[in-house]
Amino acid sequence: MSLVAHMMPYNPFQKKSLDETLKVAGRDAEEREAERKAEHLKLPYLDLRLRPIQTDALKIIEEKRSHLAKMAGIETKGHNLLAVAYDTEDLNTKTLLEELQKTYTTKLFIVSLSSLEKAWDFYKLIPPPAEDITGSVQIEQKQFVEYLEQLKNIESIKKAIEEFKDPLVSKILEVILAGALATDASDVHLEPEEDHIKFRLRIDGDLHDVSFFPHHVYVSILSRIKLLSELKINIRNIAQDGRFTIHAGEQEIEIRVSVVPSAYGETVVMRILNPKLLGIQLEDLGIREDDLAIVQEEIKKPNGMVLNTGPTGSGKTTTLYSFLKRVYNPSIKIITIEDPIEYHIKGLSQTQVEPERGYTFASGLKAALRQDPDVILVGEIRDFETAETAMNASLTGHLVFSTLHTNEASGAIPRLIDMNVKPAIIGPALTLVIAQRLVRKLCTQCKQAYTPSSEELERIKKIIATFPERTKKPDLTNVTLYKTVGCDKCTKGFKGRLGVYEFLRINKAMEEFMQTSPTVSAIKKMALKDSMTTMGHDGLLKILSGITTFEEVESIVGKIEATYE
């Protein structure tokens, strides 16, 4: 006879007891499955339904780590620890167990997930620690120095990763991050593909393949990164952003994390915000002396607007930060509105936009103006409201710095006009427009000199002949150029980057010319007549100084050509 035939007629007052009966039956089945797993793994089994749990033992494993590894401490005495785990084959469990065994004599039992949930409930009884270590990676000073000596280039990072036979996730992540710092990488990329995970570093603007991970190892690395960044570990179908800190010896380095779903898993990009960039002075940016004189004259003014243009990653923020540091003194107030705040600078009031809460560049700028500032940095001008407010701030006695996405300095004015900002406002408000790119510098250890061909020399002479009078022309008697070689101190013959610039000053003639809504080419022609040196020409001067190569400059700014009126 079927089970249904033996069941009593439905009684709503008996529903609770029936649910409880089914729940107990399900729990019993779960325990039998855990017991079979323990037998298969040749480990003892434990049912925590009747077992007391010591909170002192529970505290040994941080709660988030316990959930990640599906493991918990239940009893401790001296250096002896009883611990329970759901699956010892899981890489997170292996990693945690290996770490525990360095400190404790650990006896491990297999339990069901329901038993673990019971243990996890006891975390509620533990008071929060004085300091939450989530959100930081600690690398001891001695270990960090060893990493810097060992991880000198991509090959050494690859070798260090491949030497892990049974990898500890925390150690792999340490090597990834320390390798990125040692090679001055700006970004770490972890990209899932069908058969493996590709690990790449962006060094001096270019991405380089470093190593590959199997998917099961990456799952643990990804969980660790999410845990550090305070992202949701169990959400995999939406983009998430976070950040954490590396404590490397005496240094503190911020890491900005972006996680995005892709075809074969979640892609991670970690932007390294190395504070040593804050030590860059105005004179270190690569600005020529004649252009530097223009900058220093403009940023000394009590009011006006300086716009820096260029694509993402062209160094605009670093340049503007160096301007802020140059104008800073304790008697003035400087406010920034950024997206996001990348570097914290002492003495500045820095705010971060939060569009979901209504704090945009436009609203942030209006709020900043009520704070009685002398100098304002607006991270980016994206719309009419922000542009108009910034222009009006410039006209009412404030020095304003901002960025705009255009390809060249001459494109800034038509871009503002396209945003419906009136030329009558742009002219008086705008004082200087900068365009910049970053080019790789030749490695001083291995670059190789050569004499240019007659065709190359003739081309150089034609370009130099069109330089404006204010630009100091180089001696072309004995021209020496350099090419890449490559050594263990550099990446494919290059080490570090430097800016190439063009500076468009807004004088009375240009201000009047704006009223006609001129094209980019018309503005450029007038700026050249007024002694503007283009990014290409600035790049050529750096080529002739032995800093970089023709190929590098032209790959960044386009073909260098003679410019005639």
Side-chain angles (χ1 to χ4, degrees), residues 13-154:
F13 295 103
Q14 292 181 340
K15 185 175 186 298
K16 183 176 180 181
S17 61
L18 179 61
D19 286 347
E20 286 178 346
T21 301
L22 293 172
K23 186 175 181 181
V24 169
R27 176 68 190 275
D28 286 341
E30 188 180 0
E31 293 303 324
R32 288 195 297 274
E33 176 61 29
E35 196 169 3
R36 284 193 293 271
K37 183 189 290 185
E39 186 177 350
H40 172 71
L41 295 170
K42 297 181 180 178
L43 287 170
Y45 156 78
L46 197 61
D47 184 346
L48 292 184
R49 281 181 288 190
L50 302 174
R51 176 80 188 213
I53 295 171
Q54 293 180 1
T55 54
D56 284 345
L58 207 61
K59 283 192 289 186
I60 290 171
I61 303 172
E62 192 266 336
E63 184 176 4
K64 287 184 179 179
R65 188 80 185 276
S66 176
H67 281 267
L68 178 63
K70 294 185 177 64
M71 185 174 173
I74 61 167
E75 184 179 312
T76 183
K77 187 174 181 181
H79 289 286
N80 297 310
L81 173 67
L82 296 186
V84 295
Y86 175 68
D87 182 9
T88 58
E89 297 300 305
D90 184 277
L91 187 57
N92 287 300
T93 308
K94 287 182 179 180
T95 301
L96 179 54
L97 183 59
E98 189 166 338
E99 291 176 9
L100 289 171
Q101 287 171 337
K102 292 178 181 178
T103 308
Y104 299 94
T105 301
T106 306
K107 185 174 182 180
L108 189 66
F109 294 84
I110 296 298
V111 295
S112 67
L113 278 178
S114 294
S115 280
L116 270 174
E117 286 168 0
K118 182 198 172 186
W120 290 335
D121 282 341
F122 278 81
Y123 275 105
K124 298 172 185 175
L125 304 177
I126 301 173
E131 184 178 354
D132 187 0
I133 63 168
T134 299
S136 67
V137 174
Q138 301 280 347
I139 305 178
E140 293 180 0
Q141 178 68 29
K142 182 180 177 182
Q143 179 66 75
F144 184 58
V145 171
E146 288 178 5
Y147 279 144
L148 292 183
E149 291 176 353
Q150 176 190 359
L151 309 175
K152 294 179 180 179
N153 50 39
I154 289 170

Side-chain angles (χ1 to χ4, degrees), residues 133-139 173-174 176-177 188 221-222 224-231 241-247 252-258 268-273:
I133 63 168
T134 299
S136 67
V137 174
Q138 301 280 347
I139 305 178
L173 190 56
E174 269 190 23
I176 289 172
L177 296 172
V188 175
I221 294 173
L222 176 60
R224 179 68 175 150
I225 291 170
K226 283 185 171 183
L227 187 67
L228 287 167
S229 310
E230 299 186 345
L231 304 180
D241 296 311
R243 63 195 298 155
F244 64 89
T245 305
I246 302 175
H247 297 282
E252 284 195 4
I253 299 154
E254 293 289 316
I255 306 293
R256 201 169 75 215
V257 178
S258 170
V268 173
V269 176
M270 293 183 280
R271 168 65 58 87
I272 299 169
L273 306 176

